[in-house]
Amino acid sequence: MLPSLRETVDYYGLMANRALGQNFLLDSNITDKIIRLSLGRQNIADFNNYNIIEVGPGPGGLTRSILANNPHSLSVIEMDERCIKIMEDLRNETNCPMKIINGDALTYNLPEISASPRQIISNLPYNVSVPLLLKWLLQAKEYSAMTLMFQKEVADRIMAPTHCKDYGRVSIIAQLTCKVEKLMDLNPECFTPAPKIWSSVLLFRPLENAISAEDIAKIEKITALAFGQRRKMLRQSLKMLPDIASKLEQLNISATSRPEELTPQQFYALAQLF
Ligand code: SAM
C-alpha cells in the first residue's frame, strides 16, 4: 500500500528546490480535478488508449491521478534525482508499465521515449515552461493532447487574441498549431510552497492543418523582428526584410499596422512569401 503523498514527502525529506521550479501539488482533489477536466474536454473516459508522458512528476501527486485513470503506459522525466526513488515506489505499486528517466526534459525527443498515440501531462517547472512548450509545438501532431500547467501570466500570453497586450510570438505559434483551451485557474494556496502568482491549466490539441516546424521557424524570424519593437509600425520594424512593402501590400496588410493587429494566419501568410 502506498503511503499518503504528504507521508512520502516527509519520508524522503523532499524540501522544494526553487532552482528547479518546484511548487508541489499535494492535494489529490486538485490533481484528480485536473485530470478529470482534461479527460472530459477530450471526451474520453480514461487514458486506456494513450501512452502518457509526464514531465517533472516531483513527489508524484499528479502522477497518482494519471495512474488512477488507466494509461496504456506512463513515462516520467524528472531532473531531481531525489524524486526517482518515489517514482520507483509508485512503479512497484502499479500494473501500468512505467518508464522512469532522471534527466532534463529539454534534451529529450519525447516521441523516441513513448509510442503513439501519446499525450503529455505536466505541472511545468515555470523556469523552462515556454522553451518546453515551443519544442513540443514544433512537433504538435506527435501529441494527441497536452495538458499543461503554466504561471497564469504565461497562459494568458499563450491564449491572447489579436489586439491584446499579451499577444505575441508564443500566442501565434500556439494558435497556428493547436486548439488551446483553459481548463482551470489555481490560486497560490493550492501549492506547497505557495508561489506568489496564480497558475492556469491549458489543454492543447493539434489542429488538423497544424503548420510545420519549417513554417514555425520562418514565422519566428518575422515575429522576433515585429514584436522586438512592438510599438513600431511594420514598415519600420520589418524593414530589413527584402521587398517588405510590396509583400505587405500583396496581402492587403497596411504597412502602418503594428504587430498585435495581425492575426496568426496573416503572419503565416507573410512568412510564406519569404
Ligand atoms: N508534478 C509535481 C507536482 O505537480 O507536484 C511537481 C511539479 S513542479 C512545478 C516541476 C517539477 O519539474 C519539479 O519536480 C522539478 O524537479 C522538475 N523539473 C524542473 N526542471 C526540469 C527539467 N528541465 N526536466 C525535467 N524535470 C524538471
Side-chain angles (χ1 to χ4, degrees):
M1 246 259 301
L2 275 174
S4 75
L5 201 53
R6 284 209 184 258
E7 283 166 347
T8 300
V9 169
D10 290 345
Y11 180 79
Y12 286 104
L14 193 63
M15 297 287 288
N17 176 342
R18 263 169 184 260
L20 287 172
Q22 291 182 337
N23 295 101
F24 300 137
L25 286 171
L26 301 182
D27 180 347
S28 62
N29 292 314
I30 295 172
T31 52
D32 286 348
K33 183 171 178 191
I34 292 170
I35 299 302
R36 198 168 60 243
L37 290 172
S38 177
L39 289 169
R41 199 64 72 92
Q42 295 180 62
N43 219 358
I44 52 178
D46 62 17
F47 292 124
N48 188 22
N49 290 329
Y50 295 96
N51 296 302
I52 303 295
I53 306 161
E54 188 191 5
V55 168
L62 199 52
T63 322
R64 291 180 185 214
S65 298
I66 294 167
L67 287 169
N69 284 280
N70 205 20
H72 191 255
S73 75
L74 174 62
S75 304
V76 296
I77 308 179
E78 171 56 62
M79 192 127 130
D80 186 346
E81 67 176 320
R82 297 176 305 164
C83 302
I84 298 303
K85 181 75 184 63
I86 300 178
M87 289 298 114
E88 287 166 356
D89 291 347
L90 275 181
R91 181 164 60 189
N92 290 337
E93 290 290 328
T94 177
N95 294 324
C96 170
M98 249 182 100
K99 194 184 278 182
I100 301 169
I101 297 171
N102 183 197
D104 177 352
L106 270 170
T107 65
Y108 285 86
N109 181 27
L110 301 189
E112 286 171 11
I113 292 171
S114 179
S116 177
R118 60 181 84 77
Q119 299 202 11
I120 306 174
I121 300 177
S122 180
N123 170 10
L124 286 165
Y126 70 91
N127 43 346
V128 284
S129 63
V130 172
L132 283 171
L133 175 68
L134 290 172
K135 182 177 162 96
W136 299 333
L137 291 177
L138 282 174
Q139 42 178 218
K141 283 192 166 172
E142 296 285 355
Y143 309 106
S144 304
M146 301 191 277
T147 305
L148 305 176
M149 168 131 50
F150 298 88
Q151 293 171 260
K152 184 171 179 303
E153 164 261 323
V154 175
D156 290 346
R157 275 166 46 205
I158 293 167
M159 298 201 64
T162 314
H163 292 289
C164 171
K165 71 172 174 32
D166 295 326
Y167 181 68
R169 298 163 66 180
V170 69
S171 346
I172 291 164
I173 302 300
Q175 294 169 31
L176 284 172
T177 49
C178 292
K179 177 174 185 194
V180 190
E181 297 163 276
K182 183 180 278 192
L183 297 180
M184 66 188 290
D185 290 325
L186 285 95
N187 72 45
E189 282 69 46
C190 297
F191 300 87
T192 308
K196 292 200 175 71
I197 36 89
W198 280 64
S199 300
S200 304
V201 183
L202 304 183
L203 174 67
F204 297 75
R205 282 179 288 174
L207 297 171
E208 222 160 83
N209 57 349
I211 63 168
S212 65
E214 204 184 353
D215 286 331
I216 292 178
K218 284 190 200 164
I219 292 172
E220 284 268 57
K221 272 193 199 150
I222 297 175
T223 54
L225 289 171
F227 287 96
Q229 308 182 70
R230 66 183 295 149
R231 289 246 179 84
K232 297 223 165 109
M233 297 176 189
L234 293 177
R235 71 174 172 216
Q236 178 64 24
S237 58
L238 300 184
K239 69 179 180 205
M240 303 161 63
L241 299 175
D243 281 335
I244 187 65
S246 69
K247 285 175 174 147
L248 288 171
E249 197 179 338
Q250 191 180 331
L251 296 171
N252 274 331
I253 298 171
S254 163
T256 60
S257 312
R258 293 186 165 74
E260 67 271 17
E261 294 170 51
L262 266 59
T263 63
Q265 289 71 22
Q266 284 176 311
F267 275 107
Y268 173 70
L270 187 57
Q272 294 304 299
L273 300 182
F274 291 95

